Amino acid sequence: MALAMNRYIGNSILPLLIKHSSFYNEADDYANLLDATLHTVYRLSKNRMLTKGQREAVSDFLVALTSQMQPSMLLKLLRKLTIDVSKLSEYTTVALRLLMLHYDRCAKYYGSTSGQGMYGASSDEEKRLTMMLFSNIFDSLSKMVIYSFKIYHLSIILFSGFQ
C-alpha cells in the first residue's frame, strides 16, 4: 500500500503541484499550510522506499516550493537541515540540492548586511544556522568513509555558490 501511495504522489500529485508553483508566491495568507506542506514533503524525501524518480520528483517539488517562499519562512527547515546534513548519505542528496538552490537564490540575503531587495536582511539566528549548516557539512564530508561523487559534487557546488 505504501509503495502504491508513493508512486501516486510521485507520478501524479507532485508534478501537478510543480506545474502550478507560481501560485505559491501569492499565498501569503496560507503560510501555515505551505509550511506544513514543506515539512511533510521534506519528511517524505527522507523515506528510504522511494525510487530515484520519486526522490527527484520530491526534490523538484521542494525546490519549486522554496523558490517561491521568502527566506525568513524557511527558518524551521534550516533547523531540520542542520541536523540532517551532519550525516551525509545517498538519502541526503535532496537536502543538499535544496540548500544549493536556496543559497544560490538568496546569497545576498544571508551574506550582506544590507540584505536582498524585497527580502530584507537575515536575522542573527539565520546567519548562525547557515554557519552551523556549512560546518556540519564540512565535518560530515571529512568523516565519510566511502567516497560518493554525487554528495561531494553537490557539496562543492553549494560551497562555491555561497559568496
Side-chain angles (χ1 to χ4, degrees):
M1 182 67 149
L3 293 174
M5 183 65 89
N6 288 344
R7 191 173 30 243
Y8 177 68
I9 290 171
N11 295 336
S12 299
I13 295 174
L14 291 179
L16 181 67
L17 292 173
I18 292 168
K19 183 178 176 183
H20 299 289
S21 65
S22 61
F23 295 113
Y24 303 140
N25 193 21
E26 302 164 1
D28 293 336
D29 297 335
Y30 301 102
N32 290 337
L33 178 63
L34 290 177
D35 193 48
T37 303
L38 177 68
H39 292 289
T40 302
V41 175
Y42 179 68
R43 270 198 327 259
L44 178 66
S45 77
K46 296 191 292 184
N47 186 344
R48 294 176 186 252
M49 294 176 60
L50 294 178
T51 64
K52 183 178 179 182
Q54 291 168 343
R55 194 172 311 282
E56 287 176 6
V58 168
S59 176
D60 291 343
F61 173 72
L62 286 171
V63 167
L65 180 60
T66 57
S67 69
Q68 299 298 323
M69 296 174 76
Q70 292 197 8
S72 59
M73 291 181 66
L74 301 175
L75 188 60
K76 282 188 197 176
L77 182 65
L78 286 177
R79 287 184 193 125
K80 282 185 180 181
L81 290 172
T82 303
I83 295 167
D84 291 346
V85 297
S86 60
K87 290 193 175 191
L88 292 175
S89 68
E90 64 184 89
Y91 303 107
T92 56
T93 55
V94 172
L96 286 174
R97 180 173 179 238
L98 184 63
L99 284 169
M100 177 184 65
L101 294 172
H102 173 68
Y103 282 117
D104 186 45
R105 177 178 70 105
C106 304
K108 289 183 181 176
Y109 175 77
Y110 292 102
S112 71
T113 56
S114 61
Q116 181 178 355
M118 65 183 168
Y119 298 140
S122 62
S123 68
D124 289 337
E125 183 180 6
E126 289 172 316
K127 289 179 182 178
R128 185 183 58 80
L129 281 172
T130 300
M131 185 177 61
M132 287 175 54
L133 264 167
F134 284 97
S135 177
N136 285 352
I137 293 171
F138 271 123
D139 291 344
S140 183
L141 286 172
S142 69
K143 293 176 186 174
M144 285 185 72
V145 177
I146 300 172
Y147 174 79
S148 171
F149 175 77
K150 188 171 185 175
I151 291 174
Y152 277 92
H153 180 70
L154 287 172
S155 299
I156 295 300
I157 292 173
L158 175 64
F159 293 138
S160 63
F162 194 78
Q163 300 169 3

